[in-house]
Amino acid sequence: MTDITQRQPTYWQIGSGNDSRYYAKYCLRHGIAVVGGLNPCKTMKNEVVQGDIFLLRNGLYKIIAVGYVVSRNGIHKGEGNKLWLKDFDGWPLTAYCYVEWHQPAQPVTVSGMSRSPLVRVNKIDPIDAANDILSNYPPLKIEPDPVATSPVTDEMLCSYLIAEGWSTHDAEQFRFSLQPIVLLAEYYREKNLEIREHEIRTLLIIPLLLALGWSEKNLKIEYTASKGGRIDIACFSKPYENETSDKDCILLIESKNLKSGLCVAADQVKSYAISFPSCNTVITSNGFCYKAYEKVGDTFSDEPSAYMNITDFQDRYPLSPSDGAGTLEMIKLLLPK
C-alpha cells in the first residue's frame, strides 16, 4: 500500500516525449517522471509534492501509466543531480520526481488532456481514468538508475586514434579539426535555431567524416537505394563509380534536424541497408548526437551499439551504459575501413 499524504492529491499530466525522442520506457523502468525546460522544471521543483498523482501521456488522448509521487531515501524530487538525465539523447531533462507507476495492459484513451509538458489535470475524464488504473493495476517493479558514465578527454581520444594506427600529428590534427564542429553545434543549440537536415548534414556531419579521414570520392549524398529510399550519406570502402559500387557500401548515416530525437530515424536507415549487403553499421545523427546500430546475424540491433554526443564525450551510453558503448567505440565505427 502506497503511503500518501492526507491532503487531497493534485493530478498532473506529464508528456512522454514524441516518436523521435520517447521517454516512457525509462520513466517506467526507473520509477521516475522527468521534464526539461525552464518553466516545467520550475513547476516540478516548486509545486509537485509527495502523494500527488501523475498521468504519463502519449499524445493528447493516451494514458500510458498513472502513479503516486513517492519518497525514496528521504526525498521525492530533485533537479540536476542525476547525470544520466543530463544527456537524454542530447537533451537535458534535469528535473524529476519519483513515481510508483501503475501501467494498464494497453494505453487508455481519454479526452481533456493538454500539450503542455507538465500541467495540472482538472478534467473529469482523465481523473476518472487515472483512478481506475490505480485501483486495477499493481505498481511496477523498478530498476536502479543507470550507472554513472565517465568523461572521455581529448587526450584519451588522441591516444585511442594513435592505438588505431594514426600518427601523433594526425591525431592532434583531428582534435583541432573537431573544435569548430563542436562550437558550431553548441552555437545552434544555444540560439535554439531551426537548423534543417541538409544543413546538419553539410555543416556538421560531413566535416566530421572528412576530419576522420574519409575521402569525398567515397561519399555519396542523398543516394538512392536500389530497393527504395534516399540515403542521406552513403559511405563506400572504395571510390564510388556507379551502381555496381553498392557492394562496397559499408556505412549509412541518416541525418535529422537539430531538434529531432533519433528513435524513428533508426528504423528508417535500417530499412535502407537491405540494398547494401556489405553494410554492417547504420548511424543516425542530428549533428551533435550520434547513435550506431550494428548488424547481428541478418538484422540490426534494437538498442544502440554506441552513442556519442560531440559536446560531451562519455565512455558509455548514458541511458543504457551496460549495453551501449560510448565515444571511442563510435569513433571506431565512423572511421573509414
Side-chain angles (χ1 to χ4, degrees):
M1 179 71 67
T2 302
D3 180 22
I4 62 173
T5 59
Q6 296 302 308
R7 61 180 275 282
Q8 186 68 25
T10 298
Y11 289 76
W12 300 92
Q13 64 154 60
I14 192 166
S16 59
N18 52 37
D19 289 341
S20 68
R21 186 181 292 105
Y22 191 54
Y23 313 148
K25 72 175 183 179
Y26 297 98
C27 292
L28 300 178
R29 178 184 298 171
H30 301 294
I32 199 169
V34 296
V35 289
L38 181 61
N39 289 331
C41 287
K42 184 178 179 180
T43 299
M44 180 77 82
K45 179 180 179 180
N46 295 334
E47 300 182 40
V48 172
V49 301
Q50 184 177 348
D52 281 353
I53 295 173
F54 267 67
L55 287 67
L56 183 64
R57 65 170 179 82
N58 183 19
L60 289 177
Y61 303 103
K62 300 288 186 182
I63 297 177
I64 301 170
V66 179
Y68 293 108
V69 177
V70 296
S71 174
R72 295 187 191 135
N73 299 319
I75 62 171
H76 67 279
K77 62 183 176 182
E79 183 176 10
N81 61 340
K82 288 186 179 291
L83 296 180
W84 67 280
L85 292 177
K86 291 185 177 181
D87 183 6
F88 202 109
D89 284 1
W91 296 92
L93 298 173
T94 53
Y96 66 90
C97 64
Y98 293 122
V99 179
E100 182 185 79
W101 291 114
H102 300 242
Q103 184 180 23
Q106 297 293 332
V108 174
T109 301
V110 298
S111 60
M113 291 194 291
S114 164
R115 295 185 184 277
S116 300
L118 176 62
V119 68
R120 294 172 187 263
V121 179
N122 296 310
K123 302 290 185 179
I124 192 64
D125 250 13
I127 289 177
D128 283 348
N131 291 334
D132 184 66
I133 292 170
L134 289 172
S135 299
N136 289 288
Y137 296 93
L140 298 179
K141 295 181 179 180
I142 63 170
E143 298 178 16
D145 284 0
V147 297
T149 56
S150 299
V152 172
T153 64
D154 288 352
E155 290 73 19
M156 293 168 64
L157 180 56
C158 286
S159 296
Y160 180 79
L161 291 173
I162 291 169
E164 287 291 311
W166 285 39
S167 69
T168 302
H169 174 271
D170 287 344
E172 288 290 342
Q173 187 60 48
F174 171 72
R175 184 171 70 167
F176 289 123
S177 299
L178 185 62
Q179 289 177 357
I181 301 172
V182 173
L183 289 173
L184 182 59
E186 289 177 337
Y187 171 79
Y188 287 155
R189 290 191 62 195
E190 180 184 347
K191 298 295 185 181
N192 198 30
L193 300 177
E194 293 291 341
I195 307 299
R196 294 167 291 179
E197 288 185 24
H198 69 279
E199 295 172 299
I200 292 296
R201 182 174 61 241
T202 303
L203 300 174
L204 293 177
I205 301 176
I206 291 295
L208 178 63
L209 294 177
L210 297 179
L212 285 169
W214 285 94
S215 167
E216 293 90 341
K217 299 175 184 178
N218 294 53
L219 304 177
K220 289 291 289 180
I221 310 300
E222 294 189 354
Y223 184 65
T224 301
S226 60
K227 296 183 180 180
R230 179 167 290 184
I231 299 148
D232 289 327
I233 306 172
C235 306
F236 297 82
S237 59
K238 300 176 182 178
Y240 178 84
E241 294 182 357
N242 52 43
E243 288 76 8
T244 62
S245 296
D246 282 3
K247 67 182 186 303
D248 301 319
C249 180
I250 58 174
L251 174 65
L252 302 179
I253 302 176
E254 178 70 15
S255 61
K256 308 307 291 183
N257 68 59
L258 190 74
K259 298 181 180 180
S260 287
L262 303 175
C263 295
V264 174
D267 291 335
Q268 184 180 353
V269 71
K270 288 176 189 178
S271 69
Y272 298 157
I274 297 173
S275 301
F276 307 100
S278 298
C279 178
N280 293 318
T281 305
V282 298
I283 292 175
T284 61
S285 177
N286 55 16
F288 66 98
C289 290
Y290 290 74
K291 272 187 175 181
Y293 299 83
E294 293 182 275
K295 187 180 287 185
V296 180
D298 295 328
T299 60
F300 287 91
S301 58
D302 291 328
E303 297 296 325
S305 308
Y307 172 84
M308 176 175 71
N309 181 334
I310 65 171
T311 67
D312 185 17
F313 287 161
Q314 296 292 315
D315 67 336
R316 307 291 295 172
Y317 180 35
L319 296 184
S320 186
S322 59
D323 301 317
T327 298
L328 299 183
E329 183 62 27
M330 178 62 76
I331 289 294
K332 183 177 182 178
L333 294 174
L334 284 167
L335 289 173
K337 307 295 189 292

